[in-house]
Amino acid sequence: MGIQLRARAQPQGEARQVLGRVTRAPVDEARRADYIRVIPRGNTPAESLTGYAAVLMEGARDLASTGVTVHGYESLDFLRDGYIGLVDTGSGQTRAVYRPDSDYNVLFATDRCNSNCLMCSQPPKEVDDSQIVTQHLRLIELIQAPPQRMGITGGEPTLLKDGLVQILERLKVRFPETLVLMLSNGRLYAYEDFVQKLGAVRHPQFLTSIPLYADNALDHDYIVQARGAFDQTIHGFYNATKHSLAVEVRVVLHKQTIPGLFALAEFIYRNLPFVRHVALMGLENMGYVKKNWDLLWIDPVDYAETLEATVRHLYERRVDVSVYNLPLCVLPNALWSFARKSISDYKNIYLDECARCRVREHCGGLFQSSETRHSRAIRAVP
Amino acid sequence: MPGPVFAPREHYRSDAPAYSLLPFRFDRRDNGDYLLVNEVGEYIVLPPPDFQGFVSHRLSAEGASYSRLKAKHFLSDSNSSALFDVLASKYRTKKSFLDGFTKLHIFVTTLRCNQSCPYCQVSRQNESAGAFDMTEEMLHRSVDLMLACPAPAITMEFQGGEPLLNFDMLREGVRYAKARNEAIGKHIDYVICTNLALLEERHLEYFEGQGIQVSTSLDGPDYLHDKNRPMGKGPSHAAVTRNIRRAQEALGRQAVSALMTTTRESLKYPRQIVDEYLRMDLGSIFARDLNPYGFAVKARGALGYSSADFLRFYKDLFEYVIEINRQGRTFPEAFATLVLTKMLTPWPIGFVDLQSPSGAGIGVVVYNYDGDVYASDESRMLAEMGQHTFRLGNVLEDSYSDIFFGEAMQTIAAAACNESLAGCSDCAYQPYCGADPVRHYSTQKDIFGHRPSSGYCQKNMGVIKHLFNLLLDGGVDLEPIFWAWIHREDVKRMQLPKPAWVSS
């Protein structure tokens, strides 16, 4: 099983979104605005509940409190004290948006995107998120201990434009040691004035991870379903480097990228030798992938040879390369040292078969979404 | 709710199917295929039908060759414009050895020498001849010129003659350079080129204290070395090998390197020469042909050989070097490593003999014992033969700009780009090669040179073609070896590593 990150209860009147640190114990009134108070089933606090950012209750009860109160949650066990929660009163949904005990925290920058990739695991939504930058800045304020890593993802984070610059600035001021990894298609990096602003933040630990799916515009533009995207992204890589923004390349491995994968590695070394890292990533069966399954699915064991040649090519050239999202049993042994435990904890699973596996503790496992649909080669390594 | 709509691949193809050729040069391989090389050194092999189709603008955009040609910058179509900018960046990168201008500064503190090599290319003088030492004033002025060059990282190299015969001047040069550089802050590497015969303990202590690297000459085993490099007082091989060991112990193995010169006698012993380098624990070998300067010209009858002879020797030696690396011992051939870096990487190299614009004056400069400044080591070798064409000026009489931008430099520059030399401009191997106006002036009395009869051309093209044959047909285990050489890395570390948790 993956990890539960959200729960839903009754919608409560006016639609608002509220952030706060989770607590089950009472907090001084002066500091309550930073906290979400969780009332477990069966508890009835004697003291007043006014002043909290929100009060969440398991079970259908209505204790007197002012401000945001949502009740009717089946269980809020997943929402541990110290987590940061986001309560949406309109839908009654509460999500854990920051977990201090996890290494996989992200700022989910926006739902919007300017591409529409065939294999998008998180399909874009056209929503009004004009308040979202304020919310991200608030979240950064609420985090107490510096995280080791912080992701920025979406959607396409660069669509926040100057808002993104603000977020990066805030992260740098609050947590200069934190490694910030942003997943972006890099297309807006084609605009040099924007890149210049991001570069001027001089965040010491900021890495932009940009997908490149082919060594040519036709194939790349088709895969991301956006004409001109290849040119923008290539310019983006160069602008980023010009303004001292570190970049890495991500390639999702599927039926449309495998035939050109080796040529892409050649292209990366000759044309983008400054990238910090190349991540070759197994497909996640989410979002559009379900819809485009036949267009995209190729069993990893059927591209093992191409993958090994590609890794070898980059390794010989001393380009740092990793393989993400593929369990060890579907990889050639020669690639085991390149495999990373890359799947975020909340959607990471192992199969029953894995219990007997000799290398399970070194293996990254599977996506939860691959539980029933996965490589035919999955087997316990004897 | 309607699902997303995806457009088919065809939707992303541009309307205009026409393509244009980007600049490239080509050669025919022995098997009939075409080898195409572009301005930034990327290459591609095409079978004849694809080549004919490509150059006559009939190549189908759907074929595999099309997208390879496009990604490697041999053709461009209206489907992408970013690649032009990338090509420009790659070109700038390949030519970035020009950044900062002259980087190798050679000081001839004396022309006197204790050895009497018949192939001496610098026309050395007897040990006692006093008029062939640099004065302190000249030395200081030369260092000032060196430090006036814009390059942030430079090499100060002492040659001769035998620099140990004028050790005080070497010390003064290093002292003065370091003192002057305190306010300037360049990174300076110091190298002494010495036959090591006169090496004393105080020399080693000094080299170690000052971080000076040692480059010496070793032509092979004793029967070859002693014949090539005679010395009045005794066998030079015994002296040089003993002192290589001493220097390695005192300075570390990495700080000691050796060069070999190939004579007609050497041609018989490619493997023995390599074995001698291995025995001496030297990190690499540089198989150098005889340069047509100095005594080597006079002795050509006794020492010389044809380019074809040299190439046969080179290939034998190279084959043996590969064999050694295949057995797990990292041992590069340095000339091949330079060429391979040009072929396989997007980076430039800093080797003055394989540059366009040529290294003479631009990459290297020589401050001679008499205060004259020359465009290269070969230029001063020519001067000792009475030809002063490449004398850039004199350290006591001329300013920095007189020297580096004067008439002699302009003459060299006119013939310095192989992109515009007859016989080079359409040569497939041009990006991997260089221009050498000084050598062509020396051998052919013409700075532009005549390629079909040029030894420089024959040798370089022969080596480059050989490396292509190995890369394209030579077996998959060669690439990791070549990459180890390029990265200066252990050959064993080129195999894909096992995870730390796998027990062997």
Side-chain angles (χ1 to χ4, degrees):
Chain A
M1 270 301 287
I3 296 171
Q4 185 186 357
L5 288 184
R6 63 185 68 201
R8 185 170 290 228
Q10 301 299 317
Q12 309 283 318
E14 186 197 0
R16 284 181 60 192
Q17 295 201 323
V18 184
L19 276 169
R21 288 184 211 114
V22 174
T23 180
R24 286 172 172 77
V27 170
D28 287 350
E29 262 191 59
R31 298 190 297 126
R32 283 183 182 175
D34 290 345
Y35 285 88
I36 293 172
R37 177 76 187 272
V38 171
I39 313 292
R41 196 178 295 274
N43 282 27
T44 308
E47 85 281 3
S48 135
L49 292 175
T50 53
Y52 287 102
V55 178
L56 306 180
M57 299 177 201
E58 290 175 343
R61 291 171 304 151
D62 200 0
L63 295 176
S65 78
T66 58
V68 177
T69 309
V70 187
H71 61 88
Y73 289 99
E74 183 56 34
S75 163
L76 288 168
D77 285 350
F78 75 96
L79 200 61
R80 297 190 198 151
D81 280 21
Y83 282 18
I84 296 173
L86 175 67
V87 183
D88 183 281
T89 59
S91 63
Q93 180 170 267
T94 292
R95 287 192 288 140
V97 291
Y98 182 82
R99 295 172 295 140
D101 54 356
S102 170
D103 214 14
Y104 296 92
N105 285 298
V106 296
L107 289 175
F108 189 80
T110 173
D111 273 308
R112 294 176 294 131
C113 191
N114 51 347
S115 291
N116 200 39
C117 304
L118 294 175
M119 64 292 177
C120 184
S121 59
Q122 190 93 45
K125 285 181 241 162
E126 202 44 57
V127 293
D128 172 22
D129 55 10
S130 48
Q131 290 308 303
I132 194 125
V133 173
T134 317
Q135 201 174 81
H136 293 321
L137 295 175
R138 174 74 180 140
L139 172 59
I140 296 166
E141 289 312 312
L142 288 170
I143 297 171
Q144 283 173 312
Q148 216 172 9
R149 289 192 262 182
M150 190 77 193
I152 303 179
T153 180
E156 172 50 45
T158 58
L159 290 175
L160 300 182
K161 296 185 181 155
D162 287 352
L164 179 65
V165 180
Q166 281 178 22
I167 290 168
L168 193 64
E169 255 162 9
R170 194 70 63 92
L171 281 170
K172 181 193 162 190
V173 171
R174 289 269 294 146
F175 308 119
E177 311 276 307
T178 298
L179 176 71
V180 178
L181 175 70
M182 180 169 83
L183 306 186
S184 163
N185 60 37
R187 292 174 58 191
L188 291 186
Y189 277 10
Y191 297 93
E192 195 176 341
D193 49 347
F194 173 57
V195 178
Q196 196 169 4
K197 283 186 203 168
L198 273 180
V201 174
R202 297 187 170 279
H203 192 297
Q205 303 269 21
F206 177 55
L207 177 69
T208 308
S209 186
I210 300 177
L212 190 66
Y213 295 122
D215 66 358
N216 66 87
L218 175 58
D219 289 320
H220 180 86
D221 289 0
Y222 165 58
I223 290 166
V224 306
Q225 294 279 299
R227 195 187 275 260
F230 178 79
D231 278 15
Q232 286 183 314
T233 296
I234 294 293
H235 277 133
F237 274 114
Y238 272 83
N239 281 337
T241 299
K242 183 172 170 185
H243 293 282
S244 304
L245 294 179
V247 281
E248 69 167 22
V249 179
R250 291 197 164 199
V251 189
V252 182
L253 306 170
H254 55 65
K255 210 197 277 181
Q256 302 301 319
T257 55
I258 289 296
L261 186 67
F262 187 80
L264 175 59
E266 290 185 303
F267 181 84
I268 289 169
Y269 177 66
R270 291 304 291 233
N271 297 278
L272 306 168
F274 45 78
V275 299
R276 297 293 174 87
H277 176 230
V278 176
L280 306 170
M281 309 178 35
L283 195 60
E284 180 179 7
N285 183 17
M286 286 291 284
Y288 289 162
V289 175
K290 295 175 200 266
K291 188 180 178 70
N292 289 326
W293 185 258
D294 292 336
L295 194 61
L296 299 172
W297 173 251
I298 169 172
D299 193 312
V301 290
D302 295 328
Y303 63 68
E305 211 173 303
T306 304
L307 187 62
E308 185 173 332
T310 303
V311 169
R312 203 175 281 281
H313 185 86
L314 293 169
Y315 180 77
E316 280 176 357
R317 283 153 186 77
R318 288 301 185 254
V319 177
D320 196 11
V321 54
S322 302
V323 176
Y324 286 177
N325 306 349
L326 292 175
L328 295 176
C329 54
V330 308
L331 289 174
N333 285 18
L335 296 188
W336 279 8
S337 68
F338 296 89
R340 304 281 173 265
K341 292 185 180 181
S342 52
I343 300 174
S344 304
D345 53 3
Y346 61 88
K347 53 184 176 184
N348 192 191
I349 60 159
Y350 293 84
L351 302 177
D352 293 342
E353 173 78 9
C354 304
R356 297 184 290 111
C357 181
R358 183 172 57 83
V359 297
R360 184 189 186 281
E361 63 170 314
H362 307 291
C363 178
L366 288 79
F367 284 112
Q368 192 168 18
S369 57
S370 309
E371 193 164 6
T372 53
R373 246 176 167 182
H374 51 68
S375 169
R376 64 177 188 275
I378 301 267
R379 62 185 164 81
V381 175
Chain B
M1 187 171 96
V5 178
F6 298 104
R9 187 167 174 273
E10 277 317 297
H11 175 78
Y12 298 94
R13 194 186 291 288
S14 68
D15 307 326
Y19 64 84
S20 1
L21 307 186
L22 292 172
F24 71 91
R25 301 170 184 81
F26 63 93
D27 192 13
R28 203 81 194 257
R29 303 198 68 224
D30 288 344
N31 66 3
D33 284 350
Y34 287 85
L35 172 70
L36 290 71
V37 181
N38 70 7
E39 293 279 345
V40 294
E42 283 185 82
Y43 62 86
I44 187 169
V45 176
L46 291 181
D50 281 16
F51 181 78
Q52 302 300 348
F54 169 50
V55 294
S56 52
H57 297 266
R58 287 184 285 105
L59 193 66
S60 159
E62 276 305 300
S65 291
Y66 188 97
S67 62
R68 283 171 61 224
L69 283 162
K70 189 175 165 185
K72 288 176 190 281
H73 289 103
F74 287 88
L75 72 80
S76 95
D77 60 23
S78 55
N79 228 351
S80 169
S81 60
L83 293 176
F84 272 120
D85 296 332
V86 171
L87 183 58
S89 290
K90 290 201 288 189
Y91 192 75
R92 278 198 301 276
T93 303
K94 276 288 184 190
K95 295 292 186 187
S96 62
F97 64 86
L98 290 167
D99 294 354
F101 206 47
T102 317
K103 296 182 188 68
L104 175 57
H105 297 259
I106 295 175
F107 290 72
V108 182
T109 42
T110 180
L111 198 58
R112 292 179 292 129
C113 189
N114 54 318
Q115 295 193 337
S116 51
C117 311
Y119 62 52
C120 180
Q121 291 148 16
V122 305
S123 312
R124 63 102 203 179
Q125 294 295 327
N126 286 328
E127 262 177 88
S128 52
F132 296 93
D133 287 357
M134 192 182 260
T135 67
E136 192 170 284
E137 187 188 9
M138 287 170 187
L139 177 71
H140 288 174
R141 182 64 191 127
S142 301
V143 170
D144 291 339
L145 284 166
M146 171 178 85
L147 294 174
C149 276
I154 55 178
T155 299
M156 182 176 191
E157 181 171 300
F158 294 91
Q159 288 199 13
E162 169 50 52
L164 289 183
L165 284 173
N166 195 3
F167 187 57
D168 288 345
M169 205 49 67
L170 184 153
R171 291 174 61 121
E172 176 56 21
V174 172
R175 186 203 64 78
Y176 184 75
K178 286 193 171 176
R180 276 302 167 101
N181 190 44
E182 260 175 39
I184 300 170
K186 289 186 195 298
H187 173 87
I188 308 179
D189 284 326
Y190 301 89
V191 180
I192 175 171
C193 300
T194 165
N195 60 41
L196 286 179
L198 303 168
L199 187 73
E200 295 170 24
E201 214 47 47
R202 62 176 180 123
H203 297 141
L204 283 174
E205 280 165 22
Y206 174 76
F207 297 155
E208 193 193 359
Q210 300 290 318
I212 297 174
Q213 300 178 47
V214 171
S215 172
T216 190
S217 298
L218 180 64
D219 280 4
D222 49 5
Y223 48 86
L224 179 60
H225 186 91
D226 284 340
K227 191 161 184 177
N228 281 358
R229 304 181 62 86
M231 187 168 64
K233 293 169 199 138
S236 63
H237 180 268
V240 72
T241 50
R242 183 177 65 247
N243 287 334
I244 286 174
R245 292 260 189 252
R246 281 173 71 199
Q248 284 171 332
E249 275 161 31
L251 309 174
R253 188 173 160 259
Q254 302 302 327
V256 183
S257 61
L259 283 175
M260 52 103 31
T261 300
T262 309
T263 62
R264 186 187 296 165
E265 185 69 9
S266 314
L267 298 180
K268 299 183 211 159
Y269 306 113
R271 292 188 167 225
Q272 292 83 343
I273 294 169
V274 171
D275 282 337
E276 181 66 4
Y277 270 67
L278 294 172
R279 187 181 73 83
M280 292 308 299
D281 208 22
L282 291 159
S284 66
I285 192 166
F286 195 138
R288 281 198 318 166
D289 58 343
L290 201 56
N291 277 328
Y293 305 97
F295 300 162
V297 175
K298 281 189 259 171
R300 201 175 182 82
L303 304 174
Y305 41 79
S306 69
S307 298
D309 286 341
F310 177 77
L311 284 169
R312 239 186 320 273
F313 163 80
Y314 181 86
K315 288 175 193 174
D316 285 350
L317 182 146
F318 198 76
E319 192 185 341
Y320 186 46
V321 166
I322 292 288
E323 212 177 293
I324 287 154
N325 284 273
R326 277 187 166 136
Q327 287 160 16
R329 175 157 179 183
T330 310
F331 186 72
E333 198 284 308
F335 188 73
T337 306
L338 291 163
V339 175
L340 288 165
T341 305
K342 287 189 137 198
M343 289 164 68
L344 297 175
T345 83
W347 312 114
I349 58 169
F351 180 63
V352 294
D353 290 357
L354 283 179
Q355 285 178 356
S356 174
S358 123
I362 297 167
V364 54
V365 65
V366 178
Y367 308 98
N368 211 5
Y369 64 92
D370 56 1
D372 282 350
V373 183
Y374 289 96
S376 64
D377 218 13
E378 293 76 13
S379 305
R380 61 117 177 184
M381 296 172 184
L382 270 182
E384 297 303 333
M385 301 162 73
Q387 315 242 10
H388 297 277
T389 318
F390 305 107
R391 180 181 171 276
L392 302 180
N394 186 283
V395 296
L396 301 181
E397 293 156 17
D398 300 303
S399 69
Y400 179 87
S401 60
D402 291 341
I403 290 170
F404 284 98
F405 306 108
E407 208 173 310
M409 194 62 233
Q410 303 293 340
T411 304
I412 296 168
C417 296
N418 65 8
E419 285 89 342
S420 57
L421 292 177
C424 297
S425 64
D426 53 4
C427 173
Y429 310 103
Q430 176 247 297
Y432 310 127
C433 195
D436 200 338
V438 179
R439 182 168 175 144
H440 284 115
Y441 181 82
S442 164
T443 55
Q444 303 183 323
K445 303 288 165 268
D446 175 18
I447 54 169
F448 297 96
H450 177 252
R451 239 55 63 199
S453 58
S454 156
Y456 176 85
C457 174
Q458 287 158 2
K459 178 206 145 188
N460 287 353
M461 197 192 290
V463 171
I464 295 167
K465 275 189 175 182
H466 186 57
L467 292 173
F468 263 118
N469 288 337
L470 291 174
L471 271 176
L472 298 170
D473 316 316
V476 287
D477 65 331
L478 281 181
E479 274 209 45
I481 291 172
F482 291 163
W483 280 105
W485 296 359
I486 291 169
H487 298 307
R488 299 161 196 253
E489 178 81 85
D490 193 317
V491 287
K492 293 193 225 56
R493 290 207 54 220
M494 300 312 296
Q495 302 307 321
L496 299 185
K498 283 183 179 163
W501 45 266
V502 167
S503 53
S504 51

